[in-house]
Amino acid sequence: CRVEYLNYEVLDDRGWDLDDPDLMETAADGGLDREDYGQFWVRPRESLLEAAERHGFAWPFACRGGACANCAIIVLEGDVRTRVDHVLPQEMLDQGFQLSCNGMPVTDELQVVYNVKSMPELEDLLL
Ligand code: FES
């Protein structure tokens, strides 16, 4: 699976909108560092967090076990299946939130915003 990713901190700093359908194009043209925007490949049975780490990126996490939401991402395009999730309520899943620590792609292409733990929605869920 090919993942296109964007750091939420950059989006927030630049005042970009998560709902903008051209968000990833804007990011691609934004002259961002590789750690903030880019693409990588996820291997079979690899989580998004593991794939990010294998590519040398330090995505946030704490428990790695589906209990804290520090690793939360928002899936803009494609689908992710998270095996263990004790923390995200259904309404957040409906909005596209998933956990990168054990979330695995189920589509060939994904667009995700990572590092969303500073979003107000996550505030009460972080351990
Ligand atoms: Fe805690 Fe993913 S790191 S839920």
Side-chain angles (χ1 to χ4, degrees):
C1 166
R2 188 171 62 91
V3 179
E4 189 176 6
Y5 59 88
L6 172 64
N7 186 350
Y8 179 76
E9 215 171 270
V10 170
L11 175 152
D12 201 33
D13 280 354
R14 303 212 175 186
W16 293 343
D17 186 351
L18 260 181
D19 297 324
D20 180 353
D22 299 324
L23 176 61
M24 285 302 191
E25 283 81 352
T26 306
D29 295 338
L32 300 174
D33 290 343
R34 276 274 291 146
E35 68 175 49
D36 291 326
Y37 168 82
Q39 301 182 0
F40 59 66
W41 290 85
V42 185
R43 291 174 176 160
R45 288 184 299 281
E46 192 175 46
S47 73
L48 284 165
L49 178 62
E50 288 164 348
E53 289 172 339
R54 181 167 55 77
H55 288 87
F57 302 123
W59 285 18
F61 69 90
C63 72
R64 301 185 88 101
C68 75
N70 282 282
C71 68
I73 55 170
I74 293 183
V75 180
L76 300 177
E77 278 293 328
D79 271 318
V80 169
R81 192 173 64 89
T82 299
R83 280 167 308 150
V84 184
D85 178 353
H86 300 297
V87 63
L88 296 178
Q90 186 61 45
E91 75 249 28
M92 290 185 67
L93 298 174
D94 294 343
Q95 292 167 43
F97 287 91
Q98 290 286 341
L99 302 175
S100 73
C101 68
N102 72 97
M104 296 184 186
V106 289
T107 48
D108 289 339
E109 307 264 325
L110 270 188
Q111 288 184 342
V112 305
V113 175
Y114 78 96
N115 195 25
V116 301
K117 64 193 175 98
S118 59
M119 290 180 74
E121 287 91 331
L122 271 297
E123 224 167 77
D124 295 340
L125 299 177
L126 298 178
L127 290 180

